[in-house]
Amino acid sequence: MKNNLQTPLLNNEWNGKIYINGWVKPGRGTEEILEKATGINIGQTGIASPEDISNAGALARFAQKSWAKKSGAQRSDVLREFARLIHDYSDEIATYLVKETGSIMLKAKWEVQMASTEFSEAAALATQPTGFLTSTLEPGFQSIARRIPMGVIGIITPWNSPIILAARAIAPALAMGNAVLLKPDVQSPVSGGFIFAKLLELANLPQGLFHVLPGGPETGEALVKEPAVDMVSFTGSTRAGKLVGANASGLLKRVALELGGDNPYIVLEDVDIEAAAAAGTWGSFFHQGQICLSIGRHLVHESIAEAYTEALVRKAQALIVGNPLDEKVQVGPVINERQVLNVLRILDDSAAKGARILTGGKRNNLFIEPTVVTNVLPGMPLFDEEIFGPIATITTFKNDEEAIELANMTDYGLVSAVVSNNLVRAQHIADNIRTGVVHINDQTVVHGIYGPIAGVGKSGNGFGHGTVSNADTFSEWQWITTHAAIPNYPF
């Protein structure tokens, strides 16, 4: 993934701006963008006002009508060109992502690759059949069910994986003939927003179809309530998702929510302990545990708990912590001071209730040591809350029934995982866990593009992102009947 181009994708044109048919001054001022590992200023992001959103909405609604009339092949060409271009600028984009989010370079390059694949798959979606002939109650007329665009889609994305979480919604939304208003988080507006604006511009997306409107909760609320927006796709915290869902539903808008998780990783006693611990280390510490799919609770059979814990501690202590621009680094900084304090609160409150810290637990600025904690029980914050930090918690169980009970002892329902050499036994456990995603013989942080990723309970409302569900999420059905002549009616 090398950038062989002499000209950078982004110059300083984005600095202090938002994107509405080009780079414009924002209506609500600017905020600093900081490199998370060093605190160095990267630039300023514009903050969109409600008036900015209304202007963008009007432009998007007008442009969407022409976009919807284009053939699927024409829309596909734009998306396929985006997929090619993001490869060309991969190093530059990955570097922005590392600086803005504290992501390690491995993750940043993976996000760029996945974004390219998302757009390639969406390009294929654009040329799929859009409907079918249905049966009729009587002969003599034609009945068609077809997909039509929603209209204008408002997409709100978080800071933790801003490229992939934006790409998986932007690409299928455009493929299905919609326009997009994107609100990236103010902590990652370049990698999560401005790069999309520039790449889509270079890919010859018609003007007016895509706008980037960074901002905080006020901007997000205005986007959800904007009359020109027909549907909202939100990825973020459960607390914020409840507000988005309430506002969108109150206006009878479709809303797709993927929210937080307190995800169980069930380790049965017949596994290869080293392999299970390696997978568990990845699931807990990848991106400092700041992924909605991260392992929240290691549920380990009591007969192997000591050996598993020893392996997990050893692997956690071997991880390299530091500035993620160094490609040898495996654990970078937490996103901000507020999140550091919340992670440490969860850890300290649980320790006060009897949880035992075996390694880690200390901080250095925004860096938190990879931490392993045992004796974690229901009722402790480490068990009950989404941690969103580099902490692996261990809770033991005696049998499969207790494992299932512990796994379901949460209001969240995003993802779970079971590892075992007995696939029948693992499947039985998986069948009884209430999550939108279940992985057998893998950890929880899996983003595969093709399977629908969605949560239940406090983790979302079940509208999945994935090639099998994208058409349903970003279009609606229209039923058309055609008679050769008006039927005879008795009135």
Side-chain angles (χ1 to χ4, degrees), residues 141-177:
F141 72 98
Q142 179 178 269
S143 173
I144 296 174
R146 69 175 184 179
R147 296 184 186 278
I148 60 172
M150 293 290 301
V152 178
I153 312 296
I155 298 173
I156 302 175
T157 55
W159 52 263
N160 58 337
S161 296
I163 295 178
I164 188 61
L165 296 179
R168 69 176 187 173
I170 295 168
L174 291 174
M176 298 306 295

PDB file of all heavy atoms in Angstrom, residues 141-177:
ATOM      1  N   PHE A 141     -53.100  -8.661 -15.251  1.00  0.00           N
ATOM      2  CA  PHE A 141     -52.346  -7.444 -14.980  1.00  0.00           C
ATOM      3  C   PHE A 141     -50.961  -7.817 -14.451  1.00  0.00           C
ATOM      4  O   PHE A 141     -50.685  -8.965 -14.124  1.00  0.00           O
ATOM      5  CB  PHE A 141     -53.082  -6.525 -14.006  1.00  0.00           C
ATOM      6  CG  PHE A 141     -53.134  -7.003 -12.579  1.00  0.00           C
ATOM      7  CD1 PHE A 141     -52.231  -6.512 -11.635  1.00  0.00           C
ATOM      8  CD2 PHE A 141     -54.087  -7.926 -12.162  1.00  0.00           C
ATOM      9  CE1 PHE A 141     -52.283  -6.936 -10.329  1.00  0.00           C
ATOM     10  CE2 PHE A 141     -54.140  -8.360 -10.847  1.00  0.00           C
ATOM     11  CZ  PHE A 141     -53.237  -7.865  -9.922  1.00  0.00           C
ATOM     12  N   GLN A 142     -50.098  -6.821 -14.425  1.00  0.00           N
ATOM     13  CA  GLN A 142     -48.710  -7.014 -14.017  1.00  0.00           C
ATOM     14  C   GLN A 142     -48.473  -6.401 -12.639  1.00  0.00           C
ATOM     15  O   GLN A 142     -48.969  -5.314 -12.347  1.00  0.00           O
ATOM     16  CB  GLN A 142     -47.773  -6.361 -15.034  1.00  0.00           C
ATOM     17  CG  GLN A 142     -46.293  -6.478 -14.701  1.00  0.00           C
ATOM     18  CD  GLN A 142     -45.439  -5.862 -15.776  1.00  0.00           C
ATOM     19  OE1 GLN A 142     -45.014  -6.518 -16.714  1.00  0.00           O
ATOM     20  NE2 GLN A 142     -45.200  -4.558 -15.665  1.00  0.00           N
ATOM     21  N   SER A 143     -47.704  -7.096 -11.810  1.00  0.00           N
ATOM     22  CA  SER A 143     -47.391  -6.619 -10.456  1.00  0.00           C
ATOM     23  C   SER A 143     -45.879  -6.668 -10.259  1.00  0.00           C
ATOM     24  O   SER A 143     -45.260  -7.730 -10.409  1.00  0.00           O
ATOM     25  CB  SER A 143     -48.091  -7.497  -9.413  1.00  0.00           C
ATOM     26  OG  SER A 143     -47.669  -7.152  -8.109  1.00  0.00           O
ATOM     27  N   ILE A 144     -45.294  -5.517  -9.955  1.00  0.00           N
ATOM     28  CA  ILE A 144     -43.850  -5.402  -9.789  1.00  0.00           C
ATOM     29  C   ILE A 144     -43.535  -4.847  -8.399  1.00  0.00           C
ATOM     30  O   ILE A 144     -44.157  -3.880  -7.945  1.00  0.00           O
ATOM     31  CB  ILE A 144     -43.232  -4.470 -10.855  1.00  0.00           C
ATOM     32  CG1 ILE A 144     -43.419  -5.055 -12.253  1.00  0.00           C
ATOM     33  CG2 ILE A 144     -41.753  -4.203 -10.575  1.00  0.00           C
ATOM     34  CD1 ILE A 144     -42.961  -4.118 -13.356  1.00  0.00           C
ATOM     35  N   ALA A 145     -42.563  -5.451  -7.712  1.00  0.00           N
ATOM     36  CA  ALA A 145     -41.987  -4.872  -6.496  1.00  0.00           C
ATOM     37  C   ALA A 145     -40.574  -4.437  -6.832  1.00  0.00           C
ATOM     38  O   ALA A 145     -39.784  -5.222  -7.365  1.00  0.00           O
ATOM     39  CB  ALA A 145     -41.973  -5.897  -5.364  1.00  0.00           C
ATOM     40  N   ARG A 146     -40.257  -3.183  -6.577  1.00  0.00           N
ATOM     41  CA  ARG A 146     -38.922  -2.688  -6.920  1.00  0.00           C
ATOM     42  C   ARG A 146     -38.374  -1.817  -5.794  1.00  0.00           C
ATOM     43  O   ARG A 146     -39.127  -1.213  -5.017  1.00  0.00           O
ATOM     44  CB  ARG A 146     -38.960  -1.896  -8.219  1.00  0.00           C
ATOM     45  CG  ARG A 146     -39.702  -0.570  -8.135  1.00  0.00           C
ATOM     46  CD  ARG A 146     -39.594   0.218  -9.428  1.00  0.00           C
ATOM     47  NE  ARG A 146     -40.239   1.531  -9.310  1.00  0.00           N
ATOM     48  CZ  ARG A 146     -40.272   2.441 -10.291  1.00  0.00           C
ATOM     49  NH1 ARG A 146     -39.726   2.153 -11.467  1.00  0.00           N
ATOM     50  NH2 ARG A 146     -40.868   3.601 -10.104  1.00  0.00           N
ATOM     51  N   ARG A 147     -37.050  -1.772  -5.714  1.00  0.00           N
ATOM     52  CA  ARG A 147     -36.380  -0.907  -4.751  1.00  0.00           C
ATOM     53  C   ARG A 147     -36.233   0.501  -5.344  1.00  0.00           C
ATOM     54  O   ARG A 147     -35.892   0.649  -6.517  1.00  0.00           O
ATOM     55  CB  ARG A 147     -34.988  -1.436  -4.422  1.00  0.00           C
ATOM     56  CG  ARG A 147     -34.990  -2.785  -3.730  1.00  0.00           C
ATOM     57  CD  ARG A 147     -33.559  -3.166  -3.366  1.00  0.00           C
ATOM     58  NE  ARG A 147     -33.474  -4.509  -2.825  1.00  0.00           N
ATOM     59  CZ  ARG A 147     -33.729  -4.842  -1.564  1.00  0.00           C
ATOM     60  NH1 ARG A 147     -34.098  -3.893  -0.711  1.00  0.00           N
ATOM     61  NH2 ARG A 147     -33.632  -6.084  -1.164  1.00  0.00           N
ATOM     62  N   ILE A 148     -36.473   1.500  -4.511  1.00  0.00           N
ATOM     63  CA  ILE A 148     -36.228   2.883  -4.904  1.00  0.00           C
ATOM     64  C   ILE A 148     -35.382   3.531  -3.814  1.00  0.00           C
ATOM     65  O   ILE A 148     -35.366   3.081  -2.658  1.00  0.00           O
ATOM     66  CB  ILE A 148     -37.538   3.664  -5.123  1.00  0.00           C
ATOM     67  CG1 ILE A 148     -38.382   3.686  -3.846  1.00  0.00           C
ATOM     68  CG2 ILE A 148     -38.336   3.062  -6.278  1.00  0.00           C
ATOM     69  CD1 ILE A 148     -39.598   4.599  -3.931  1.00  0.00           C
ATOM     70  N   PRO A 149     -34.642   4.584  -4.141  1.00  0.00           N
ATOM     71  CA  PRO A 149     -33.796   5.230  -3.131  1.00  0.00           C
ATOM     72  C   PRO A 149     -34.619   5.821  -1.988  1.00  0.00           C
ATOM     73  O   PRO A 149     -35.782   6.201  -2.165  1.00  0.00           O
ATOM     74  CB  PRO A 149     -33.085   6.332  -3.924  1.00  0.00           C
ATOM     75  CG  PRO A 149     -33.193   5.924  -5.358  1.00  0.00           C
ATOM     76  CD  PRO A 149     -34.484   5.185  -5.476  1.00  0.00           C
ATOM     77  N   MET A 150     -33.976   5.913  -0.822  1.00  0.00           N
ATOM     78  CA  MET A 150     -34.600   6.599   0.302  1.00  0.00           C
ATOM     79  C   MET A 150     -34.675   8.095   0.049  1.00  0.00           C
ATOM     80  O   MET A 150     -35.636   8.753   0.422  1.00  0.00           O
ATOM     81  CB  MET A 150     -33.785   6.350   1.578  1.00  0.00           C
ATOM     82  CG  MET A 150     -33.779   4.928   2.080  1.00  0.00           C
ATOM     83  SD  MET A 150     -35.377   4.405   2.748  1.00  0.00           S
ATOM     84  CE  MET A 150     -35.630   5.588   4.057  1.00  0.00           C
ATOM     85  N   GLY A 151     -33.615   8.657  -0.547  1.00  0.00           N
ATOM     86  CA  GLY A 151     -33.538  10.094  -0.791  1.00  0.00           C
ATOM     87  C   GLY A 151     -32.219  10.655  -0.301  1.00  0.00           C
ATOM     88  O   GLY A 151     -31.180  10.461  -0.923  1.00  0.00           O
ATOM     89  N   VAL A 152     -32.247  11.344   0.827  1.00  0.00           N
ATOM     90  CA  VAL A 152     -31.039  11.904   1.438  1.00  0.00           C
ATOM     91  C   VAL A 152     -30.775  11.154   2.740  1.00  0.00           C
ATOM     92  O   VAL A 152     -31.659  11.067   3.601  1.00  0.00           O
ATOM     93  CB  VAL A 152     -31.179  13.414   1.716  1.00  0.00           C
ATOM     94  CG1 VAL A 152     -29.923  13.959   2.408  1.00  0.00           C
ATOM     95  CG2 VAL A 152     -31.441  14.167   0.417  1.00  0.00           C
ATOM     96  N   ILE A 153     -29.565  10.620   2.873  1.00  0.00           N
ATOM     97  CA  ILE A 153     -29.179   9.851   4.055  1.00  0.00           C
ATOM     98  C   ILE A 153     -28.246  10.687   4.920  1.00  0.00           C
ATOM     99  O   ILE A 153     -27.222  11.186   4.451  1.00  0.00           O
ATOM    100  CB  ILE A 153     -28.456   8.545   3.664  1.00  0.00           C
ATOM    101  CG1 ILE A 153     -29.222   7.781   2.582  1.00  0.00           C
ATOM    102  CG2 ILE A 153     -28.233   7.678   4.906  1.00  0.00           C
ATOM    103  CD1 ILE A 153     -30.561   7.285   2.987  1.00  0.00           C
ATOM    104  N   GLY A 154     -28.591  10.838   6.187  1.00  0.00           N
ATOM    105  CA  GLY A 154     -27.703  11.466   7.154  1.00  0.00           C
ATOM    106  C   GLY A 154     -26.881  10.385   7.848  1.00  0.00           C
ATOM    107  O   GLY A 154     -27.450   9.457   8.429  1.00  0.00           O
ATOM    108  N   ILE A 155     -25.558  10.483   7.770  1.00  0.00           N
ATOM    109  CA  ILE A 155     -24.664   9.471   8.335  1.00  0.00           C
ATOM    110  C   ILE A 155     -23.828  10.112   9.437  1.00  0.00           C
ATOM    111  O   ILE A 155     -23.117  11.091   9.185  1.00  0.00           O
ATOM    112  CB  ILE A 155     -23.764   8.854   7.256  1.00  0.00           C
ATOM    113  CG1 ILE A 155     -24.621   8.146   6.189  1.00  0.00           C
ATOM    114  CG2 ILE A 155     -22.766   7.873   7.869  1.00  0.00           C
ATOM    115  CD1 ILE A 155     -23.830   7.656   4.993  1.00  0.00           C
ATOM    116  N   ILE A 156     -23.920   9.575  10.631  1.00  0.00           N
ATOM    117  CA  ILE A 156     -23.168  10.086  11.785  1.00  0.00           C
ATOM    118  C   ILE A 156     -22.203   9.000  12.231  1.00  0.00           C
ATOM    119  O   ILE A 156     -22.621   7.870  12.526  1.00  0.00           O
ATOM    120  CB  ILE A 156     -24.112  10.471  12.939  1.00  0.00           C
ATOM    121  CG1 ILE A 156     -25.120  11.524  12.472  1.00  0.00           C
ATOM    122  CG2 ILE A 156     -23.313  10.989  14.133  1.00  0.00           C
ATOM    123  CD1 ILE A 156     -26.178  11.875  13.515  1.00  0.00           C
ATOM    124  N   THR A 157     -20.909   9.316  12.256  1.00  0.00           N
ATOM    125  CA  THR A 157     -19.886   8.318  12.536  1.00  0.00           C
ATOM    126  C   THR A 157     -19.024   8.738  13.722  1.00  0.00           C
ATOM    127  O   THR A 157     -18.846   9.931  13.994  1.00  0.00           O
ATOM    128  CB  THR A 157     -18.992   8.094  11.308  1.00  0.00           C
ATOM    129  OG1 THR A 157     -18.439   9.346  10.884  1.00  0.00           O
ATOM    130  CG2 THR A 157     -19.780   7.475  10.172  1.00  0.00           C
ATOM    131  N   PRO A 158     -18.415   7.759  14.423  1.00  0.00           N
ATOM    132  CA  PRO A 158     -17.568   8.055  15.580  1.00  0.00           C
ATOM    133  C   PRO A 158     -16.102   8.208  15.183  1.00  0.00           C
ATOM    134  O   PRO A 158     -15.729   8.065  14.014  1.00  0.00           O
ATOM    135  CB  PRO A 158     -17.762   6.815  16.449  1.00  0.00           C
ATOM    136  CG  PRO A 158     -17.911   5.701  15.452  1.00  0.00           C
ATOM    137  CD  PRO A 158     -18.636   6.303  14.268  1.00  0.00           C
ATOM    138  N   TRP A 159     -15.261   8.442  16.181  1.00  0.00           N
ATOM    139  CA  TRP A 159     -13.835   8.712  15.957  1.00  0.00           C
ATOM    140  C   TRP A 159     -12.993   7.445  15.909  1.00  0.00           C
ATOM    141  O   TRP A 159     -11.875   7.470  15.422  1.00  0.00           O
ATOM    142  CB  TRP A 159     -13.293   9.596  17.091  1.00  0.00           C
ATOM    143  CG  TRP A 159     -13.606   9.045  18.457  1.00  0.00           C
ATOM    144  CD1 TRP A 159     -14.647   9.417  19.267  1.00  0.00           C
ATOM    145  CD2 TRP A 159     -12.913   8.015  19.164  1.00  0.00           C
ATOM    146  NE1 TRP A 159     -14.652   8.679  20.423  1.00  0.00           N
ATOM    147  CE2 TRP A 159     -13.588   7.813  20.387  1.00  0.00           C
ATOM    148  CE3 TRP A 159     -11.785   7.242  18.894  1.00  0.00           C
ATOM    149  CZ2 TRP A 159     -13.173   6.862  21.321  1.00  0.00           C
ATOM    150  CZ3 TRP A 159     -11.368   6.296  19.820  1.00  0.00           C
ATOM    151  CH2 TRP A 159     -12.064   6.123  21.014  1.00  0.00           C
ATOM    152  N   ASN A 160     -13.489   6.315  16.422  1.00  0.00           N
ATOM    153  CA  ASN A 160     -12.572   5.200  16.682  1.00  0.00           C
ATOM    154  C   ASN A 160     -12.123   4.445  15.434  1.00  0.00           C
ATOM    155  O   ASN A 160     -10.983   4.029  15.326  1.00  0.00           O
ATOM    156  CB  ASN A 160     -13.175   4.237  17.716  1.00  0.00           C
ATOM    157  CG  ASN A 160     -14.511   3.685  17.291  1.00  0.00           C
ATOM    158  OD1 ASN A 160     -15.226   4.261  16.484  1.00  0.00           O
ATOM    159  ND2 ASN A 160     -14.868   2.551  17.862  1.00  0.00           N
ATOM    160  N   SER A 161     -13.022   4.254  14.477  1.00  0.00           N
ATOM    161  CA  SER A 161     -12.660   3.631  13.191  1.00  0.00           C
ATOM    162  C   SER A 161     -13.333   4.439  12.097  1.00  0.00           C
ATOM    163  O   SER A 161     -14.228   3.956  11.399  1.00  0.00           O
ATOM    164  CB  SER A 161     -13.111   2.168  13.155  1.00  0.00           C
ATOM    165  OG  SER A 161     -12.436   1.403  14.122  1.00  0.00           O
ATOM    166  N   PRO A 162     -12.922   5.693  11.925  1.00  0.00           N
ATOM    167  CA  PRO A 162     -13.725   6.632  11.135  1.00  0.00           C
ATOM    168  C   PRO A 162     -13.787   6.334   9.655  1.00  0.00           C
ATOM    169  O   PRO A 162     -14.768   6.685   8.997  1.00  0.00           O
ATOM    170  CB  PRO A 162     -13.036   7.980  11.402  1.00  0.00           C
ATOM    171  CG  PRO A 162     -11.631   7.635  11.756  1.00  0.00           C
ATOM    172  CD  PRO A 162     -11.727   6.341  12.510  1.00  0.00           C
ATOM    173  N   ILE A 163     -12.753   5.689   9.107  1.00  0.00           N
ATOM    174  CA  ILE A 163     -12.769   5.415   7.663  1.00  0.00           C
ATOM    175  C   ILE A 163     -13.726   4.280   7.340  1.00  0.00           C
ATOM    176  O   ILE A 163     -14.635   4.418   6.514  1.00  0.00           O
ATOM    177  CB  ILE A 163     -11.351   5.094   7.160  1.00  0.00           C
ATOM    178  CG1 ILE A 163     -10.445   6.320   7.296  1.00  0.00           C
ATOM    179  CG2 ILE A 163     -11.397   4.643   5.697  1.00  0.00           C
ATOM    180  CD1 ILE A 163      -9.012   6.067   6.875  1.00  0.00           C
ATOM    181  N   ILE A 164     -13.557   3.162   8.012  1.00  0.00           N
ATOM    182  CA  ILE A 164     -14.378   2.003   7.681  1.00  0.00           C
ATOM    183  C   ILE A 164     -15.840   2.214   8.078  1.00  0.00           C
ATOM    184  O   ILE A 164     -16.763   1.802   7.362  1.00  0.00           O
ATOM    185  CB  ILE A 164     -13.806   0.714   8.318  1.00  0.00           C
ATOM    186  CG1 ILE A 164     -14.562  -0.506   7.809  1.00  0.00           C
ATOM    187  CG2 ILE A 164     -13.836   0.767   9.825  1.00  0.00           C
ATOM    188  CD1 ILE A 164     -14.476  -0.728   6.331  1.00  0.00           C
ATOM    189  N   LEU A 165     -16.082   2.899   9.199  1.00  0.00           N
ATOM    190  CA  LEU A 165     -17.455   3.091   9.647  1.00  0.00           C
ATOM    191  C   LEU A 165     -18.195   4.103   8.790  1.00  0.00           C
ATOM    192  O   LEU A 165     -19.432   4.064   8.712  1.00  0.00           O
ATOM    193  CB  LEU A 165     -17.481   3.500  11.121  1.00  0.00           C
ATOM    194  CG  LEU A 165     -16.945   2.443  12.094  1.00  0.00           C
ATOM    195  CD1 LEU A 165     -16.996   2.943  13.532  1.00  0.00           C
ATOM    196  CD2 LEU A 165     -17.709   1.125  11.963  1.00  0.00           C
ATOM    197  N   ALA A 166     -17.456   4.999   8.136  1.00  0.00           N
ATOM    198  CA  ALA A 166     -18.084   5.887   7.158  1.00  0.00           C
ATOM    199  C   ALA A 166     -18.270   5.170   5.825  1.00  0.00           C
ATOM    200  O   ALA A 166     -19.348   5.231   5.218  1.00  0.00           O
ATOM    201  CB  ALA A 166     -17.240   7.145   6.979  1.00  0.00           C
ATOM    202  N   ALA A 167     -17.237   4.460   5.379  1.00  0.00           N
ATOM    203  CA  ALA A 167     -17.295   3.806   4.062  1.00  0.00           C
ATOM    204  C   ALA A 167     -18.435   2.811   3.969  1.00  0.00           C
ATOM    205  O   ALA A 167     -19.107   2.717   2.929  1.00  0.00           O
ATOM    206  CB  ALA A 167     -15.966   3.110   3.776  1.00  0.00           C
ATOM    207  N   ARG A 168     -18.669   2.053   5.040  1.00  0.00           N
ATOM    208  CA  ARG A 168     -19.678   0.996   4.965  1.00  0.00           C
ATOM    209  C   ARG A 168     -21.093   1.547   4.837  1.00  0.00           C
ATOM    210  O   ARG A 168     -22.018   0.820   4.473  1.00  0.00           O
ATOM    211  CB  ARG A 168     -19.587   0.107   6.210  1.00  0.00           C
ATOM    212  CG  ARG A 168     -20.009   0.783   7.489  1.00  0.00           C
ATOM    213  CD  ARG A 168     -19.992  -0.167   8.654  1.00  0.00           C
ATOM    214  NE  ARG A 168     -20.555   0.459   9.846  1.00  0.00           N
ATOM    215  CZ  ARG A 168     -20.788  -0.178  10.994  1.00  0.00           C
ATOM    216  NH1 ARG A 168     -20.493  -1.469  11.084  1.00  0.00           N
ATOM    217  NH2 ARG A 168     -21.300   0.447  12.016  1.00  0.00           N
ATOM    218  N   ALA A 169     -21.284   2.844   5.133  1.00  0.00           N
ATOM    219  CA  ALA A 169     -22.595   3.468   4.955  1.00  0.00           C
ATOM    220  C   ALA A 169     -22.638   4.341   3.708  1.00  0.00           C
ATOM    221  O   ALA A 169     -23.616   4.320   2.946  1.00  0.00           O
ATOM    222  CB  ALA A 169     -22.951   4.292   6.191  1.00  0.00           C
ATOM    223  N   ILE A 170     -21.582   5.131   3.477  1.00  0.00           N
ATOM    224  CA  ILE A 170     -21.558   6.023   2.314  1.00  0.00           C
ATOM    225  C   ILE A 170     -21.688   5.233   1.011  1.00  0.00           C
ATOM    226  O   ILE A 170     -22.493   5.572   0.131  1.00  0.00           O
ATOM    227  CB  ILE A 170     -20.251   6.839   2.288  1.00  0.00           C
ATOM    228  CG1 ILE A 170     -20.171   7.778   3.487  1.00  0.00           C
ATOM    229  CG2 ILE A 170     -20.148   7.631   0.985  1.00  0.00           C
ATOM    230  CD1 ILE A 170     -18.787   8.397   3.673  1.00  0.00           C
ATOM    231  N   ALA A 171     -20.877   4.174   0.878  1.00  0.00           N
ATOM    232  CA  ALA A 171     -20.816   3.447  -0.393  1.00  0.00           C
ATOM    233  C   ALA A 171     -22.160   2.839  -0.785  1.00  0.00           C
ATOM    234  O   ALA A 171     -22.649   3.074  -1.906  1.00  0.00           O
ATOM    235  CB  ALA A 171     -19.715   2.385  -0.333  1.00  0.00           C
ATOM    236  N   PRO A 172     -22.811   2.036   0.073  1.00  0.00           N
ATOM    237  CA  PRO A 172     -24.103   1.482  -0.348  1.00  0.00           C
ATOM    238  C   PRO A 172     -25.197   2.532  -0.465  1.00  0.00           C
ATOM    239  O   PRO A 172     -26.107   2.385  -1.289  1.00  0.00           O
ATOM    240  CB  PRO A 172     -24.416   0.454   0.737  1.00  0.00           C
ATOM    241  CG  PRO A 172     -23.608   0.857   1.928  1.00  0.00           C
ATOM    242  CD  PRO A 172     -22.371   1.482   1.367  1.00  0.00           C
ATOM    243  N   ALA A 173     -25.119   3.596   0.341  1.00  0.00           N
ATOM    244  CA  ALA A 173     -26.117   4.660   0.213  1.00  0.00           C
ATOM    245  C   ALA A 173     -26.056   5.291  -1.171  1.00  0.00           C
ATOM    246  O   ALA A 173     -27.087   5.484  -1.834  1.00  0.00           O
ATOM    247  CB  ALA A 173     -25.896   5.712   1.295  1.00  0.00           C
ATOM    248  N   LEU A 174     -24.847   5.605  -1.641  1.00  0.00           N
ATOM    249  CA  LEU A 174     -24.703   6.166  -2.986  1.00  0.00           C
ATOM    250  C   LEU A 174     -25.070   5.139  -4.058  1.00  0.00           C
ATOM    251  O   LEU A 174     -25.696   5.476  -5.069  1.00  0.00           O
ATOM    252  CB  LEU A 174     -23.273   6.655  -3.197  1.00  0.00           C
ATOM    253  CG  LEU A 174     -22.839   7.891  -2.385  1.00  0.00           C
ATOM    254  CD1 LEU A 174     -21.355   8.157  -2.591  1.00  0.00           C
ATOM    255  CD2 LEU A 174     -23.653   9.122  -2.768  1.00  0.00           C
ATOM    256  N   ALA A 175     -24.682   3.897  -3.842  1.00  0.00           N
ATOM    257  CA  ALA A 175     -24.977   2.849  -4.816  1.00  0.00           C
ATOM    258  C   ALA A 175     -26.474   2.717  -5.070  1.00  0.00           C
ATOM    259  O   ALA A 175     -26.909   2.473  -6.207  1.00  0.00           O
ATOM    260  CB  ALA A 175     -24.408   1.515  -4.347  1.00  0.00           C
ATOM    261  N   MET A 176     -27.265   2.882  -4.023  1.00  0.00           N
ATOM    262  CA  MET A 176     -28.717   2.716  -4.150  1.00  0.00           C
ATOM    263  C   MET A 176     -29.416   3.977  -4.641  1.00  0.00           C
ATOM    264  O   MET A 176     -30.636   4.032  -4.687  1.00  0.00           O
ATOM    265  CB  MET A 176     -29.306   2.275  -2.806  1.00  0.00           C
ATOM    266  CG  MET A 176     -28.803   0.931  -2.305  1.00  0.00           C
ATOM    267  SD  MET A 176     -28.995  -0.408  -3.498  1.00  0.00           S
ATOM    268  CE  MET A 176     -30.783  -0.519  -3.614  1.00  0.00           C
ATOM    269  N   GLY A 177     -28.628   5.014  -4.999  1.00  0.00           N
ATOM    270  CA  GLY A 177     -29.218   6.204  -5.605  1.00  0.00           C
ATOM    271  C   GLY A 177     -29.517   7.333  -4.657  1.00  0.00           C
ATOM    272  O   GLY A 177     -30.264   8.256  -5.010  1.00  0.00           O
TER     273      GLY A 177
END
